[in-house]
Amino acid sequence: MSTDFFILMKAELGLVAVLLILLFIKIRDGINTNNSLLRIANAMLAVNCIAGFFFNESGSLFGDMYHTNDLIALQKNFLNFFTLIISLQAWDYLKPHRHLHEFYMLICASLLGMHFMLSSGNMLMFYIGLELASLPIAVLVNFDYTKRRSSEAAVKMIFLSAFASAILLFGISLLYGAFGSLSFYEIFTASQAVTPLQIMALVFVFAGFAFKMSVVPFHFWTADVYEGAPVVITSYLSVISKGAMVFVFISVLMPLFFHLAELWKPMMTVLIVLTITVGNLFALRQNNLKRFLAFSSIAQMGYVLFGLLTASHDGASSAIYFFVVYAFSNLGAFGVVALISLHAEKENLEDYKGLHKTNPILAWALGISLFSLAGVPPTAGFFGKLFLLSSGSSDGDFYLLLFAALNMVVSLYYYLRIVKAIFIDQNEQPIPRLESVISSKIAIAICLAGIIFTGFFSIMYAYIDSLIK
C-alpha cells in the first residue's frame, strides 16, 4: 500500500482511528469516569482537527471513486472543527450520560460518511457516504431515549430520511440511464446535449439534496426533529449536517448539472422565494427557541441558494464563507440555549425575559449570535449575507435581490424580538444564575471570536476564493 493512500485518506483514517480507540476503551471498560472519557474524546477530536491542516495533497484512489484536493481538505477541516466545538458545548449534557462511548462513535461514524461524500468521485461512493452520514444521526436524535418527544423525532427522521433517500436513489438510477455511468468524470465528459431523462434525473437528485438542506417544500421534518432531539444533536443537525450538504451541493450537484443551468435556475429561483418566505413567516410565530432556530435556519438556507444561483466561482466562495459565519453564529446561539435547557429546563421565549440581569455573559453571547444571524453590521453575518447577495445578483436579477433584502428586514424583527426579551423585558422569575464547566465557556468564546474576527479580517474569504479559482 503506497504512502499516497495514507496521505490522501488522512481525514477518514483519523476518524476511523478515533472510532477504534473508543471501541477498544468500551470493550475493555478501561475508563471508569465520564470526565476522563470526555477529556480523551475531546483530545482525540482536537488532534484529528489539527492534523487535518497539515500534509494535504491532491489525488484520487480506487479508480477515481475517491478524490481529494485542498478545497475538499479545507471543507473537511471545517466539519471537524465545528464538531469539536459541539463536543465541548456538550460536556455538561454528556457527563452523567451512560452511553458516552456510543455518542462519540456515532458522531465519528456520521462525520466519516460526510467526508466520503465530499471526496466521492462516483455516485455509488456518494450514496454510501450519505447513508453512513444519515443513519447515526437518526440514532443520535433519539439519544434522550427515555423522553417520548425524542423518540417521536427519531421516528420522523427515519421515515422521512428513507423517503428522501428513495427519491435520491431514483434520481441516481435515472442519471445512470442518461449517461451510462455513475462516474463523475465520465458524466462531465459525456455529451452535453440535453435530454428529458437528464432533466428528470436533475429533478429527483435535487429533491434528495433539498430534503437534507431543509429547502421548502422538503422542510417538514426540521422543526419537529429539532425540538425533539437533545440540543447538542440539534446543533449538529443545524450546522454539520447542513454544512456538509452545502459543500457537496457545490462540489457535486452543480458541476454534474452545470450544462442544465438554464433549466434549473428558474426552479431554484422558485425554491429560494418559498424557502426564505416560509422560513421567515414561521419563525415570526415561534416561542420555543429550538423551533425558532429551526425555521430561521430554513430561511438561511434560502440565502445560501441565492448565492449559488449564478453557479459561479464567486457564488461558491460566498456560500462556503457564509457557512463558516453561520456555523459560528448558530453554535453560539445553540450553546446558550443548550446550557439554559440543561440547567434550568427553559426553552420558551417568555422564560428568557430578563436574562441579562442574572446571566449577563450568556445574554450578550446570545445577543451577538442573533445579531450575526440577522446580518447586523459589523458582525460577520453582515459580510456573509453581503457576499451571498452580491454573488446571486451578478446576473442582474434585481427583483430577487430586492425580495431577499426585504426578507432580511423581516428576519431582523424576529431576531430583535428575542434580544428585546433578554435585555429589556421584565420577568418576576428570571432564569437563575447558571454555572457551567470551562469547556462550554471556551466553546462559546470561540464562537464569539469567530463572529467578530471572521467579519473584520478578509483572510478567510480570500483563502477560500483562492482555492476555488
Side-chain angles (χ1 to χ4, degrees), residues 3-184:
T3 310
D4 287 348
F5 173 83
F6 294 100
I7 294 176
L8 294 178
M9 294 200 72
K10 178 166 57 75
E12 290 78 11
L13 292 174
L15 286 172
V16 170
V18 175
L19 260 169
L20 291 177
I21 292 171
L22 288 169
L23 185 61
F24 180 76
I25 293 172
K26 172 71 176 177
I27 293 172
R28 295 296 300 269
D29 199 17
I31 305 296
N32 295 322
T33 64
N34 276 5
N35 267 332
S36 300
L37 184 58
L38 280 165
R39 289 192 193 95
I40 292 172
N42 281 302
M44 288 193 293
L45 289 178
V47 169
N48 183 52
C49 181
I50 293 169
F53 288 95
F54 299 98
F55 307 112
N56 293 312
E57 289 186 5
S58 301
S60 60
L61 294 168
F62 314 125
D64 289 335
M65 289 192 75
Y66 176 98
H67 72 98
T68 186
N69 54 40
D70 288 340
L71 179 62
I72 292 173
L74 180 68
Q75 291 170 339
K76 290 176 182 176
N77 290 337
F78 281 144
L79 297 181
N80 289 339
F81 176 65
F82 290 118
T83 301
L84 175 62
I85 291 180
I86 290 172
S87 175
L88 292 174
Q89 288 180 345
W91 192 295
D92 278 344
Y93 166 73
L94 292 173
K95 192 167 58 177
H97 208 291
R98 60 185 293 195
H99 296 298
L100 189 53
H101 300 79
E102 290 82 348
F103 174 85
Y104 280 103
M105 284 192 274
L106 289 167
I107 286 282
C108 289
S110 173
L111 204 54
L112 182 63
M114 293 173 193
H115 284 6
F116 276 118
M117 285 165 57
L118 282 168
S119 282
S120 58
N122 186 292
M123 268 295 175
L124 187 59
M125 175 71 85
F126 167 76
Y127 186 74
I128 292 171
L130 179 68
E131 291 303 306
L132 182 57
S134 302
L135 291 176
I137 292 178
V139 181
L140 287 167
V141 168
N142 192 31
F143 213 63
D144 281 342
Y145 54 90
T146 56
K147 296 180 180 177
R148 183 177 176 180
R149 68 175 188 174
S150 184
S151 300
E152 287 178 354
V155 171
K156 286 180 183 175
M157 184 81 187
I158 290 169
F159 278 111
L160 291 174
S161 287
F163 179 67
S165 182
I167 290 176
L168 181 62
L169 200 57
F170 185 60
I172 292 173
S173 66
L174 293 177
L175 199 65
Y176 182 77
F179 293 97
S181 174
L182 292 178
S183 164
F184 292 170

Side-chain angles (χ1 to χ4, degrees), residues 192-210:
Q192 298 299 301
V194 178
T195 65
L197 198 55
Q198 291 180 22
I199 298 171
M200 289 291 289
L202 165 68
V203 171
F204 281 96
V205 171
F206 186 87
F209 273 83

